[in-house]
Amino acid sequence: MVNIIWACMAIIGIVYAMFNGTMDQVNQAVFESANEAVTLSIGLISVLVFWLGIMKVAESAGILEVLSKLFRPVISRIFPDIPKDHPAMGYILSNITANLFGLGNAATPMGIKALEQMKQLSGSDTASRSMITFLALNTSSLTLIPTTVIAIRMQYNSISPTEIVGTTIIATMISTVSAILIDRFFYYKSIWRK
Amino acid sequence: MGIITSVSTWLIPCFILLVLVAATWKRVPAYETFVEGGKEGVKMAFSLLPFLVGMIVSISILRSSGALEAFVGFISPLLISIGIPPDIIPLALVRPISGTAALGMTTELISTHGPDSFIGRLASTMQGSTDTTLYILTVYFGAVGIKKMRYALKVGLLADLIGILASIIIVTIIFG
């Protein structure tokens, strides 16, 4: 599906530009955005190196183990096919915690580590059930405190920059619960088909 | 706000402190382990690069051609008729595709309508309660080399749709 979406976005854009005389902008966008993507990847190096380094220390020091033991009952229900003592649990938890506090930069490396562990479990290059559940959680956004939005609201002199925290938490809860339910729906549908 | 900001500022340094104290206590070679873990980060950033270039270029072709805007204009009468404010539609459409574009749109909506207006509050809530599905799938699956995503994209996009609708309903109930 991602192959189709990826190709279609570019095809629609180029064909539309043919009839609307925006080919100049498209041409410019191709090179500028490729450049932007490289800058973004290079920019990620610092964050990835630092957090993967710290997390490796945390793992050897047994901190991830303690963390996963604490929250095991909840997490093992959401991820039933990950063995209870597996290191993936610790990374899943650190990713969720970092997301909840709006630390997106710290959340990504931990999320990638979690997926790596899940890939070792499944041993194939096809997304496993737990991987999809994990990404569903991440894409539905787990933010409790939307720090960036609060910062923008402050910049534009809002009377109450944080008044949207409540509505954000409710909307996030609804989308996260829905994401888990939708994920379950497609999972059981894929089983029935077999 | 005071408590929230200080929690966010204290959390990371305290976590680092905890990790380093625990490592020293358990006689883990902290620095060497850090460097070992960090090396993976360098590899990861480079393996991500082609995924990001591909996705970002395709998205920006779609945006720069004006096709996305035209589509928004095309479907907005329908959405207005069911009570969704048209100004918010571009944001709702772009949010799953591009994080920076969505943040730019949120900022623009807040500056034109004011942070305490209905649109301003709705844009803020929407920005905070959804995430860049396409980017997350690209980065996460790209980094560990997952080639077949199966139903992951469907789940992500449907969750975004629900998040957006939930934001509209909740902001209408609370601030409407």
Coordinates of all heavy atoms in Angstrom, one line a residue, chain A residues 72-151:
Chain A
R72 N 4.4 -4.5 33.3 CA 4.2 -5.7 32.6 C 2.7 -6.1 32.4 O 2.3 -6.4 31.3 CB 4.9 -6.9 33.2 CG 4.9 -8.1 32.4 CD 5.7 -9.2 33.0 NE 7.1 -8.9 33.0 CZ 8.0 -9.6 33.8 NH1 7.5 -10.5 34.6 NH2 9.2 -9.3 33.8
P73 N 1.9 -6.0 33.4 CA 0.5 -6.4 33.3 C -0.2 -5.6 32.1 O -0.9 -6.3 31.3 CB -0.1 -6.0 34.6 CG 1.0 -6.0 35.6 CD 2.2 -5.5 34.8
V74 N 0.0 -4.3 32.0 CA -0.7 -3.5 31.0 C -0.1 -3.9 29.6 O -0.8 -4.2 28.7 CB -0.5 -2.0 31.3 CG1 -1.4 -1.2 30.3 CG2 -0.9 -1.7 32.7
I75 N 1.2 -3.8 29.5 CA 1.9 -3.9 28.2 C 1.7 -5.3 27.6 O 1.5 -5.4 26.4 CB 3.4 -3.5 28.3 CG1 3.6 -2.1 28.9 CG2 4.1 -3.7 27.0 CD1 3.0 -1.1 27.9
S76 N 1.7 -6.3 28.5 CA 1.6 -7.7 27.9 C 0.2 -7.9 27.4 O 0.0 -8.8 26.6 CB 2.1 -8.7 28.9 OG 1.2 -8.6 30.1
R77 N -0.7 -7.2 27.9 CA -2.1 -7.3 27.3 C -2.2 -6.7 25.9 O -2.8 -7.2 25.0 CB -3.1 -6.6 28.2 CG -3.7 -7.6 29.2 CD -4.6 -6.9 30.2 NE -5.0 -7.9 31.2 CZ -6.1 -8.5 31.1 NH1 -7.0 -8.3 30.2 NH2 -6.4 -9.4 32.0
I78 N -1.5 -5.5 25.8 CA -1.5 -4.9 24.5 C -0.6 -5.6 23.5 O -0.9 -5.7 22.3 CB -1.0 -3.4 24.6 CG1 -1.9 -2.7 25.6 CG2 -1.1 -2.7 23.3 CD1 -1.6 -1.3 25.9
F79 N 0.5 -6.2 24.0 CA 1.4 -7.0 23.1 C 1.4 -8.5 23.5 O 2.4 -8.9 24.1 CB 2.8 -6.4 23.1 CG 2.8 -5.0 22.6 CD1 2.8 -3.9 23.6 CD2 2.9 -4.7 21.3 CE1 2.8 -2.6 23.1 CE2 3.0 -3.4 20.9 CZ 2.9 -2.3 21.8
P80 N 0.4 -9.2 23.2 CA 0.3 -10.6 23.8 C 1.3 -11.5 23.2 O 1.7 -12.5 23.8 CB -1.1 -11.0 23.4 CG -1.5 -10.2 22.3 CD -0.8 -8.9 22.5
D81 N 1.9 -11.2 22.0 CA 2.8 -12.2 21.5 C 4.3 -11.9 21.7 O 5.2 -12.5 21.2 CB 2.6 -12.5 20.0 CG 2.5 -11.3 19.1 OD1 2.6 -10.2 19.7 OD2 2.4 -11.4 17.9
I82 N 4.6 -10.9 22.6 CA 6.0 -10.7 23.0 C 6.2 -11.4 24.4 O 5.4 -11.2 25.3 CB 6.3 -9.2 23.2 CG1 6.1 -8.5 21.8 CG2 7.7 -9.0 23.7 CD1 6.4 -7.0 21.9
P83 N 7.2 -12.3 24.5 CA 7.4 -13.0 25.7 C 7.6 -12.0 26.9 O 8.2 -10.9 26.7 CB 8.7 -13.8 25.5 CG 8.8 -13.9 24.0 CD 8.1 -12.7 23.4
K84 N 7.1 -12.3 28.1 CA 7.1 -11.4 29.1 C 8.4 -10.8 29.6 O 8.5 -9.7 30.0 CB 6.4 -12.0 30.3 CG 4.9 -12.1 30.0 CD 4.0 -12.4 31.2 CE 2.6 -12.2 30.8 NZ 1.7 -13.2 31.3
D85 N 9.5 -11.6 29.4 CA 10.8 -11.2 29.9 C 11.7 -10.6 28.8 O 12.8 -10.3 29.0 CB 11.6 -12.3 30.6 CG 10.8 -12.7 31.9 OD1 10.5 -11.8 32.6 OD2 10.6 -13.9 32.1
H86 N 11.1 -10.5 27.6 CA 11.9 -10.0 26.5 C 12.3 -8.6 26.6 O 11.5 -7.7 27.1 CB 11.0 -10.2 25.2 CG 11.9 -10.3 24.0 ND1 12.2 -9.1 23.3 CD2 12.5 -11.3 23.3 CE1 12.9 -9.5 22.2 NE2 13.1 -10.8 22.3
P87 N 13.5 -8.2 26.2 CA 14.0 -6.8 26.3 C 13.1 -5.8 25.5 O 13.1 -4.6 25.8 CB 15.4 -6.9 25.7 CG 15.6 -8.2 25.1 CD 14.6 -9.1 25.8
A88 N 12.4 -6.3 24.5 CA 11.5 -5.4 23.7 C 10.5 -4.6 24.6 O 10.3 -3.5 24.4 CB 10.7 -6.2 22.7
M89 N 10.1 -5.3 25.7 CA 9.1 -4.7 26.6 C 9.7 -3.4 27.2 O 9.0 -2.4 27.3 CB 8.8 -5.6 27.7 CG 7.9 -6.8 27.3 SD 6.3 -6.2 27.0 CE 5.4 -7.8 26.8
G90 N 11.0 -3.4 27.6 CA 11.6 -2.3 28.2 C 11.7 -1.1 27.2 O 11.4 0.0 27.6
Y91 N 12.0 -1.4 26.0 CA 12.1 -0.4 25.0 C 10.8 0.2 24.6 O 10.6 1.4 24.4 CB 12.8 -0.9 23.7 CG 14.3 -1.0 23.9 CD1 14.9 -2.3 23.9 CD2 15.1 0.1 24.1 CE1 16.3 -2.4 24.1 CE2 16.5 0.0 24.2 CZ 17.1 -1.3 24.2 OH 18.4 -1.4 24.4
I92 N 9.8 -0.7 24.6 CA 8.4 -0.2 24.3 C 8.0 0.8 25.4 O 7.5 1.9 25.1 CB 7.4 -1.4 24.3 CG1 7.6 -2.2 23.0 CG2 6.0 -0.9 24.3 CD1 6.8 -3.5 23.0
L93 N 8.3 0.4 26.6 CA 7.9 1.3 27.7 C 8.6 2.6 27.7 O 8.0 3.7 28.0 CB 8.2 0.6 29.1 CG 7.0 -0.2 29.5 CD1 7.3 -1.2 30.6 CD2 5.9 0.8 30.1
S94 N 9.9 2.6 27.4 CA 10.7 3.9 27.4 C 10.2 4.7 26.3 O 10.1 6.0 26.4 CB 12.2 3.7 27.3 OG 12.5 2.3 27.2
N95 N 9.8 4.1 25.1 CA 9.3 4.9 24.0 C 7.9 5.5 24.4 O 7.7 6.7 24.2 CB 9.1 4.0 22.8 CG 8.3 4.6 21.7 OD1 7.0 4.5 21.7 ND2 8.9 5.3 20.8
I96 N 7.1 4.8 25.1 CA 5.8 5.3 25.5 C 5.9 6.5 26.5 O 5.3 7.5 26.4 CB 4.9 4.2 26.0 CG1 4.5 3.2 24.9 CG2 3.6 4.8 26.7 CD1 3.7 2.0 25.4
T97 N 6.8 6.2 27.5 CA 7.1 7.3 28.5 C 7.6 8.6 27.8 O 7.1 9.7 28.1 CB 8.1 6.8 29.5 OG1 7.8 5.4 29.8 CG2 8.0 7.6 30.8
A98 N 8.6 8.4 27.0 CA 9.1 9.6 26.3 C 8.0 10.3 25.5 O 8.0 11.6 25.5 CB 10.3 9.2 25.4
N99 N 7.2 9.6 24.8 CA 6.1 10.2 24.0 C 5.1 10.9 24.9 O 4.7 12.0 24.6 CB 5.3 9.1 23.3 CG 5.9 9.0 21.9 OD1 6.2 9.9 21.2 ND2 6.0 7.7 21.4
L100 N 4.8 10.3 26.0 CA 3.8 10.9 27.0 C 4.3 12.3 27.4 O 3.5 13.2 27.6 CB 3.6 10.0 28.2 CG 2.7 8.8 28.0 CD1 2.6 8.0 29.2 CD2 1.3 9.1 27.4
F101 N 5.6 12.4 27.6 CA 6.1 13.7 28.1 C 6.5 14.6 27.0 O 7.2 15.7 27.2 CB 7.2 13.5 29.1 CG 6.7 13.0 30.4 CD1 6.7 11.6 30.7 CD2 6.2 13.9 31.3 CE1 6.3 11.2 31.9 CE2 5.7 13.4 32.5 CZ 5.7 12.1 32.8
G102 N 6.1 14.3 25.7 CA 6.4 15.1 24.6 C 7.9 15.2 24.2 O 8.3 16.1 23.6
L103 N 8.7 14.2 24.6 CA 10.1 14.2 24.3 C 10.3 13.4 23.0 O 10.9 12.3 23.0 CB 10.9 13.5 25.4 CG 10.6 14.0 26.8 CD1 11.3 13.2 27.8 CD2 11.1 15.5 26.9
G104 N 9.7 13.9 21.9 CA 9.7 13.2 20.6 C 11.1 12.7 20.2 O 11.3 11.6 19.7
N105 N 12.1 13.6 20.5 CA 13.5 13.3 20.1 C 14.0 12.0 20.8 O 14.8 11.3 20.2 CB 14.4 14.4 20.4 CG 14.3 15.5 19.4 OD1 13.7 15.3 18.3 ND2 14.7 16.7 19.7
A106 N 13.6 11.9 22.0 CA 14.1 10.7 22.8 C 13.3 9.5 22.4 O 13.8 8.4 22.6 CB 14.1 11.0 24.3
A107 N 12.1 9.7 22.0 CA 11.2 8.6 21.8 C 11.6 7.8 20.5 O 11.5 6.5 20.6 CB 9.7 9.1 21.6
T108 N 12.0 8.5 19.5 CA 12.3 7.8 18.2 C 13.3 6.7 18.3 O 13.1 5.5 18.0 CB 12.6 8.8 17.1 OG1 11.6 9.8 17.1 CG2 12.7 8.1 15.8
P109 N 14.6 7.0 18.9 CA 15.6 5.9 19.0 C 15.1 4.7 19.8 O 15.3 3.6 19.5 CB 16.7 6.6 19.7 CG 16.5 8.1 19.5 CD 15.1 8.3 19.4
M110 N 14.3 5.0 20.9 CA 13.8 3.9 21.7 C 12.8 3.1 20.9 O 12.8 1.8 21.1 CB 13.2 4.4 23.0 CG 14.2 5.1 23.8 SD 13.4 5.9 25.2 CE 14.8 7.0 25.7
G111 N 12.0 3.7 20.2 CA 11.0 3.1 19.4 C 11.7 2.2 18.3 O 11.3 1.0 18.1
I112 N 12.8 2.7 17.7 CA 13.5 1.9 16.7 C 14.1 0.6 17.4 O 14.0 -0.5 16.8 CB 14.6 2.8 16.0 CG1 13.9 3.8 15.2 CG2 15.5 1.9 15.1 CD1 14.8 4.8 14.5
K113 N 14.7 0.8 18.6 CA 15.2 -0.3 19.3 C 14.1 -1.3 19.6 O 14.4 -2.5 19.5 CB 15.9 0.2 20.6 CG 17.2 0.8 20.5 CD 18.2 -0.2 19.8 CE 18.9 -1.1 20.8 NZ 20.0 -1.8 20.1
A114 N 13.0 -0.9 20.0 CA 11.9 -1.8 20.3 C 11.5 -2.6 19.1 O 11.4 -3.8 19.1 CB 10.6 -1.0 20.8
L115 N 11.4 -1.9 17.9 CA 11.1 -2.6 16.7 C 12.2 -3.6 16.3 O 11.9 -4.7 15.8 CB 11.0 -1.6 15.5 CG 9.6 -1.0 15.3 CD1 9.6 -0.4 13.9 CD2 8.5 -2.1 15.3
E116 N 13.5 -3.3 16.5 CA 14.6 -4.2 16.2 C 14.4 -5.5 17.0 O 14.6 -6.5 16.5 CB 15.9 -3.5 16.7 CG 16.9 -3.4 15.6 CD 18.1 -2.5 16.0 OE1 18.5 -2.5 17.1 OE2 18.5 -1.7 15.1
Q117 N 14.1 -5.3 18.3 CA 13.9 -6.5 19.2 C 12.7 -7.3 18.6 O 12.8 -8.6 18.6 CB 13.6 -6.1 20.6 CG 14.7 -5.3 21.2 CD 15.9 -6.2 21.6 OE1 15.7 -7.4 21.7 NE2 17.0 -5.6 21.9
M118 N 11.7 -6.7 18.2 CA 10.5 -7.4 17.7 C 10.9 -8.1 16.4 O 10.3 -9.2 16.1 CB 9.3 -6.4 17.4 CG 8.7 -5.9 18.7 SD 7.4 -4.8 18.3 CE 7.6 -3.5 19.4
K119 N 11.8 -7.5 15.6 CA 12.2 -8.1 14.4 C 12.9 -9.4 14.6 O 12.8 -10.4 14.0 CB 13.0 -7.2 13.5 CG 13.1 -7.6 12.1 CD 14.1 -6.8 11.3 CE 14.2 -7.4 9.9 NZ 15.3 -6.7 9.1
Q120 N 13.8 -9.4 15.7 CA 14.5 -10.6 16.1 C 13.5 -11.7 16.5 O 13.8 -12.9 16.2 CB 15.5 -10.3 17.2 CG 16.8 -9.7 16.8 CD 17.7 -9.3 17.9 OE1 17.5 -9.8 19.0 NE2 18.6 -8.4 17.6
L121 N 12.4 -11.3 17.1 CA 11.4 -12.3 17.5 C 10.8 -12.9 16.3 O 10.6 -14.1 16.2 CB 10.4 -11.6 18.3 CG 10.6 -11.5 19.8 CD1 9.5 -10.7 20.5 CD2 10.7 -12.9 20.5
S122 N 10.4 -12.1 15.3 CA 9.7 -12.6 14.2 C 10.6 -13.2 13.1 O 10.3 -14.1 12.4 CB 8.8 -11.5 13.6 OG 9.6 -10.6 12.9
G123 N 11.8 -12.6 13.0 CA 12.8 -13.1 12.1 C 12.4 -13.0 10.6 O 12.9 -13.8 9.8
S124 N 11.6 -12.0 10.2 CA 11.3 -11.8 8.8 C 11.2 -10.3 8.5 O 11.2 -9.5 9.4 CB 10.0 -12.5 8.4 OG 8.9 -11.7 8.6
D125 N 11.1 -10.0 7.2 CA 11.1 -8.5 6.9 C 9.6 -8.1 6.7 O 9.3 -7.1 6.0 CB 12.0 -8.1 5.7 CG 11.6 -8.9 4.5 OD1 10.7 -9.7 4.5 OD2 12.3 -8.7 3.5
T126 N 8.7 -8.9 7.2 CA 7.3 -8.5 7.1 C 6.9 -8.1 8.5 O 7.3 -8.6 9.5 CB 6.4 -9.8 6.7 OG1 6.9 -10.3 5.5 CG2 5.0 -9.4 6.6
A127 N 6.1 -7.0 8.6 CA 5.7 -6.5 9.8 C 4.9 -7.5 10.6 O 4.0 -8.1 10.1 CB 4.8 -5.2 9.6
S128 N 5.3 -7.7 11.9 CA 4.6 -8.7 12.7 C 3.4 -8.0 13.4 O 3.3 -6.8 13.4 CB 5.5 -9.3 13.8 OG 5.9 -8.3 14.7
R129 N 2.6 -8.8 14.1 CA 1.4 -8.3 14.8 C 1.8 -7.2 15.8 O 1.3 -6.1 15.8 CB 0.7 -9.4 15.5 CG -0.5 -8.9 16.3 CD -1.1 -9.9 17.2 NE -2.2 -9.3 17.9 CZ -2.9 -10.0 18.8 NH1 -2.6 -11.2 19.1 NH2 -3.9 -9.4 19.4
S130 N 2.8 -7.5 16.6 CA 3.2 -6.6 17.7 C 3.8 -5.3 17.1 O 3.6 -4.2 17.6 CB 4.1 -7.2 18.7 OG 5.1 -8.0 18.0
M131 N 4.5 -5.4 16.0 CA 5.1 -4.2 15.4 C 4.0 -3.2 14.9 O 4.1 -2.0 15.1 CB 5.9 -4.6 14.1 CG 7.2 -5.2 14.3 SD 7.9 -5.6 12.7 CE 9.3 -6.5 13.3
I132 N 2.9 -3.8 14.3 CA 1.8 -3.0 13.9 C 1.1 -2.3 15.0 O 0.8 -1.1 15.0 CB 0.9 -3.8 12.9 CG1 1.7 -4.3 11.7 CG2 -0.3 -2.9 12.5 CD1 0.9 -5.1 10.8
T133 N 0.9 -3.1 16.1 CA 0.3 -2.5 17.3 C 1.1 -1.4 17.8 O 0.6 -0.3 18.2 CB 0.1 -3.6 18.4 OG1 -0.5 -4.7 17.8 CG2 -0.7 -3.1 19.5
F134 N 2.4 -1.6 17.9 CA 3.3 -0.6 18.4 C 3.3 0.7 17.6 O 3.2 1.8 18.1 CB 4.7 -1.2 18.4 CG 5.8 -0.2 18.9 CD1 5.7 0.2 20.3 CD2 6.8 0.3 18.1 CE1 6.7 1.1 20.7 CE2 7.7 1.2 18.6 CZ 7.7 1.6 19.9
L135 N 3.3 0.5 16.2 CA 3.2 1.7 15.4 C 1.9 2.4 15.5 O 1.8 3.6 15.4 CB 3.6 1.4 14.0 CG 5.1 1.1 13.8 CD1 5.5 0.8 12.4 CD2 5.9 2.3 14.3
A136 N 0.8 1.6 15.6 CA -0.5 2.2 15.8 C -0.5 3.1 17.0 O -1.1 4.2 17.0 CB -1.6 1.1 15.9
L137 N 0.1 2.6 18.1 CA 0.2 3.5 19.3 C 0.9 4.8 19.0 O 0.5 5.8 19.4 CB 0.9 2.7 20.4 CG 0.2 1.7 21.2 CD1 1.1 1.1 22.3 CD2 -1.0 2.4 21.9
N138 N 2.0 4.6 18.3 CA 2.9 5.8 18.0 C 2.2 6.8 17.1 O 2.3 8.0 17.3 CB 4.2 5.4 17.5 CG 5.3 5.3 18.5 OD1 5.8 6.3 18.9 ND2 5.5 4.1 19.0
T139 N 1.5 6.3 16.0 CA 1.0 7.2 15.1 C -0.3 7.9 15.6 O -0.7 8.9 15.1 CB 0.6 6.5 13.7 OG1 -0.3 5.5 14.0 CG2 1.8 6.0 13.1
S140 N -0.9 7.3 16.6 CA -2.1 7.9 17.2 C -1.7 9.0 18.1 O -2.6 9.7 18.7 CB -3.0 6.9 17.9 OG -2.4 6.6 19.1
S141 N -0.4 9.2 18.4 CA 0.1 10.2 19.3 C -0.3 9.9 20.7 O -1.4 9.8 21.0 CB -0.4 11.6 18.8 OG -0.2 12.5 19.9
L142 N 0.7 9.9 21.6 CA 0.5 9.6 23.0 C 0.7 10.8 23.8 O 0.8 10.7 25.0 CB 1.4 8.5 23.4 CG 1.2 7.1 22.7 CD1 2.5 6.3 22.8 CD2 0.0 6.4 23.3
T143 N 0.8 12.0 23.2 CA 1.2 13.2 24.0 C 0.3 13.5 25.1 O -0.9 13.6 24.9 CB 1.3 14.4 23.0 OG1 1.9 13.9 21.8 CG2 2.1 15.5 23.6
L144 N 0.8 13.8 26.3 CA 0.0 14.3 27.4 C 0.2 15.8 27.4 O -0.8 16.6 27.6 CB 0.5 13.8 28.7 CG 0.0 12.4 29.1 CD1 0.5 12.1 30.5 CD2 -1.5 12.3 29.1
I145 N 1.4 16.3 27.1 CA 1.7 17.7 27.2 C 2.2 18.1 25.8 O 3.4 17.9 25.5 CB 2.7 18.1 28.3 CG1 2.2 17.5 29.6 CG2 2.9 19.5 28.3 CD1 3.3 17.0 30.5
P146 N 1.4 18.8 25.0 CA 1.9 19.2 23.7 C 2.7 20.4 23.8 O 2.3 21.6 23.5 CB 0.6 19.5 22.9 CG -0.4 19.7 23.9 CD 0.0 19.1 25.2
T147 N 4.0 20.2 24.1 CA 4.9 21.4 24.4 C 5.1 22.3 23.2 O 5.0 23.5 23.4 CB 6.3 20.9 24.8 OG1 6.6 19.7 24.1 CG2 6.4 20.6 26.3
T148 N 5.2 21.8 22.0 CA 5.4 22.7 20.9 C 4.2 23.6 20.7 O 4.4 24.8 20.4 CB 5.6 21.8 19.6 OG1 6.3 20.6 19.9 CG2 6.3 22.6 18.5
V149 N 3.0 23.0 20.7 CA 1.8 23.8 20.5 C 1.7 24.9 21.6 O 1.4 26.0 21.3 CB 0.6 22.9 20.5 CG1 -0.7 23.7 20.4 CG2 0.6 21.9 19.4
I150 N 2.0 24.5 22.9 CA 1.9 25.5 24.0 C 2.9 26.6 23.7 O 2.6 27.8 23.8 CB 2.2 24.8 25.3 CG1 1.1 23.8 25.6 CG2 2.3 25.8 26.4 CD1 1.4 23.0 26.9
A151 N 4.1 26.3 23.2 CA 5.1 27.3 22.9 C 4.6 28.3 21.8 O 4.7 29.5 21.9 CB 6.4 26.7 22.4

